[in-house]
């Protein structure tokens, strides 16, 4: 209650702050965002957004999503299993989810220049961005699937009218090195402009692997981005963007709490009270901390054809945006996007450099995994918008996404050393079946906005969404068909906003929004087919917020109070299969209520502080 009371006092105290502004400080940079598919001032858009301009990115030395989270209230981002698709698990306002579906859809998805990217965005080049927008709360009405807790909107730099460029170089401990350069300017005056950027980023890692004495956790990224901006006529803009990114990371630094440190739910293999032959140990209380890492990375070097431990990603990204102004202020927008990721990951998922099941010949080395995946996205959006200078404004459009996640390789490496059957180390053996999941997402969306008077504005947005999901499993390595599943999910996700702006410095708003997390399948050979299909998870949010400028524009104070209700939550559960093995499956088994308060303030104390 004390915290809430302080927030309320902050609302009341804004007028006092505004009257005592010093005259020696600069005004804050005004950031324009496109969170609602149109350009709006950050302080005027009635949504909780943390936005970072190119100047902010440089001054705060932001390098990745984890850095952005450090400066964003309501966002937590930790990475324990390297820069691979499965590790993109942001927690927005306390909401994070088990990743599922094509290309691992989570609680919040990322968009680059309006294009959905289903692969990991942890290595997306930050240096070539004009801004980053972190949108909190359900964004499904505007952005679609996978945004039921929030969305990340990355906007790349626009080509400049004059020749400009910049070169940056920095280094630090742990063999860290960052080098970037960009150049931009006109090709044909008033008709064509270009932007070109290149970057190299490497980090040597800081954790020593006790298994072999080498350092783990190293990362390396190269990126190249080109953009062409054409204005063939006064009412036609065409923007073509092409990006190439490549990562070559060593094994991620991760460790397993040893079972000798556990204090709860011990495994009991003796029949009788408490009999639990497959129970896993747990810990109650504050878990002990330790900083040792033991990973069997040398097993991959010893297996011909496996390659070194770590994660490698090759990405090709492209987008084409066309904006045509016609009929006295109406705008037709087309956004075409494509993305292809080739992901190779070799990792020790025992997290402790040991083989947990050396007594089963068909499972020896199962925790030393060699996997290859390919992730493909293709999307198209058409949108028509009315003139923005009218009291009643509207926008409507259609959207299509084809996303495919295809497993190319899934093998295990037999470790050297003792096992019960004398299987030699360094062998590559088939591990699990291979799956291909395809998502066809079709949607229609619309929004209407009405200026009731000079101070009150009401907005209603909505999206009708259909997901057609199919999954095919083939045997490894024969590629013979094993199973196939199909399902269709439909959802309507609205958002209602009422905003009140008594003057140019203050904006109060009420926001009610709904979003869904896509459904999926359980692919294991489960005995109960009723567990096969996993339904969508739903989030409903109510938010009251205030955005205000203080100290005569030299500061801002933004406050948001929210409640989010989650239903049909997707959680994992371990079940025993008919053959005696176990499988981890998803089920809709939970619901939660989240309450929170966010306070975000920035003040320019002097011209330099």
């Amino acid at each position: 209650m004390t915290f809430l009371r302080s927030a309320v006092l902050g609302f009341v105290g804004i007028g006092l702050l505004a009257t005592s502004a010093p005259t020696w400080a600069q005004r804050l940079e005004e950031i324009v965002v496109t969170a609602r598919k149109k350009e709006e001032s950050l302080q005027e858009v009635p949504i909780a957004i943390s936005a970072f301009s190119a100047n902010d990115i440089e001054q705060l030395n932001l390098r990745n999503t984890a850095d952005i989270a450090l400066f964003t209230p309501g966002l937590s981002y930790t990475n324990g299993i390297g820069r691979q698709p499965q590790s993109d698990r942001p927690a927005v306002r306390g909401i994070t989810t088990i990743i599922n579906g094509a290309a691992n859809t989570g609680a919040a998805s990322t968009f680059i220049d309006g294009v959905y990217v289903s692969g990991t965005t942890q290595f997306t080049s930050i240096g070539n961005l004009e801004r980053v927008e972190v949108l909190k709360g359900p964004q499904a009405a505007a952005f679609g699937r996978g945004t039921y807790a929030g969305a990340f909107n990355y906007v790349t730099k626009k080509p400049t009218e004059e020749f400009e460029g910049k070169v940056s170089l920095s280094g630090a401990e742990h063999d860290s090195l960052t080098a970037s350069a960009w150049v931009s300017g006109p090709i044909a005056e008033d008709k064509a402009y270009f932007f070109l950027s290149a970057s190299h980023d490497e980090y040597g890692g800081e954790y020593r692997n006790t298994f072999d004495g080498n350092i783990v956790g190293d990362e390396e990224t190269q990126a190249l981005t080109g953009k062409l901006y054409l204005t063939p006529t006064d009412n036609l803009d065409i923007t073509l963007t092409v990006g190439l990114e490549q990562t070559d990371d060593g094994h991620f630094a991760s460790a397993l709490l040893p079972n000798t440190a556990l204090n709860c739910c011990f495994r009991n293999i003796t029949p009788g009270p408490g009999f639990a032959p497959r129970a896993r140990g747990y810990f109650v209380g504050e878990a002990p901390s330790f900083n040792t890492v033991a990973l069997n990375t040398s097993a991959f070097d010893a297996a011909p054809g496996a390659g070194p431990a770590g994660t490698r990603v090759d990405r090709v990204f492209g987008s084409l945006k066309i904006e045509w102004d016609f009929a006295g202020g109406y705008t037709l927008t087309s956004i075409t996007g494509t993305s292809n990721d080739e992901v190779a990951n070799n990792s020790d998922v025992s997290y402790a450099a040991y083989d947990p099941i050396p007594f089963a010949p068909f499972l020896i080395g199962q925790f030393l995994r060699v996997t290859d995946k390919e992730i493909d996205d293709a999307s198209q959006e058409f949108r028509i918008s009315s003139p923005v200078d009218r009291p009643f404004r509207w926008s409507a459009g259609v959207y299509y996404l084809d996303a495919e996640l295809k497993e190319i390789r899934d093998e295990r490496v037999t470790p050297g050393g003792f096992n019960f059957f004398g299987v030699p180390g360094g062998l590559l053996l088939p591990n699990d079946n291979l799956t291909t999941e395809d998502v066809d997402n079709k949607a229609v969306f619309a929004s209407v906005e009405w200026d009731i008077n000079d101070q009150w504005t009401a907005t209603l947005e909505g999206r009708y969404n259909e997901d057609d999901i199919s999954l095919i499993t083939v045997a490894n390595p024969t590629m013979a068909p094993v199973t196939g599943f199909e399902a269709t999910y439909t959802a309507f996700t609205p958002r209602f906003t009422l905003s009140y702006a008594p003057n140019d410095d203050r904006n109060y708003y009420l926001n009610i929004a709904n979003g869904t997390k896509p459904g999926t399948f359980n692919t294991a050979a489960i005995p109960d087919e009723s567990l096969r299909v996993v339904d969508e998870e739903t989030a409903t949010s109510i938010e009251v917020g205030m955005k205000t400028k203080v100290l005569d524009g030299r500061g801002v104070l933004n406050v948001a109070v929210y409640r989010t209700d989650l239903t049909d939550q997707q959680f994992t559960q371990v079940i025993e299969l008919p053959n005696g093995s176990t499988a981890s499956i998803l089920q809709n088994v939970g619901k939660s209520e989240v309450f929170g308060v966010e306070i975000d303030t920035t003040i320019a104390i002097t011209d330099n502080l």
Side-chain angles (χ1 to χ4, degrees), residues 37 43 78 99 102 119 124 151 165 275 327 407 459 525 531 568-569 582:
K37 303 296 183 75
Q43 287 302 111
T78 57
I99 290 177
T124 298
F275 176 58
E407 293 183 336
T459 306
L531 303 177
D568 290 329
Q569 282 183 273
T582 61

Side-chain angles (χ1 to χ4, degrees), residues 102-158:
N104 304 284
T105 303
S109 296
T110 300
F111 298 79
I112 300 177
D113 290 336
V115 175
Y116 172 72
V117 178
S118 59
T120 179
T121 55
Q122 296 177 67
F123 55 80
T124 298
S125 178
I126 299 293
N128 67 350
L129 295 182
E130 180 178 309
R131 68 181 178 275
V132 178
E133 303 169 8
V134 181
L135 289 62
K136 287 162 283 188
Q139 305 297 322
F143 286 90
R145 75 190 313 267
T147 59
Y148 86 131
F152 300 95
N153 190 27
Y154 287 10
V155 182
T156 58
K157 281 183 168 61
K158 186 177 180 179

Side-chain angles (χ1 to χ4, degrees), residues 375-388:
I375 304 171
D376 286 300
D377 299 332
S379 61
Q380 176 64 55
E381 177 179 317
F382 292 108
R383 183 175 71 249
I384 186 170
S385 305
S386 68
V388 298

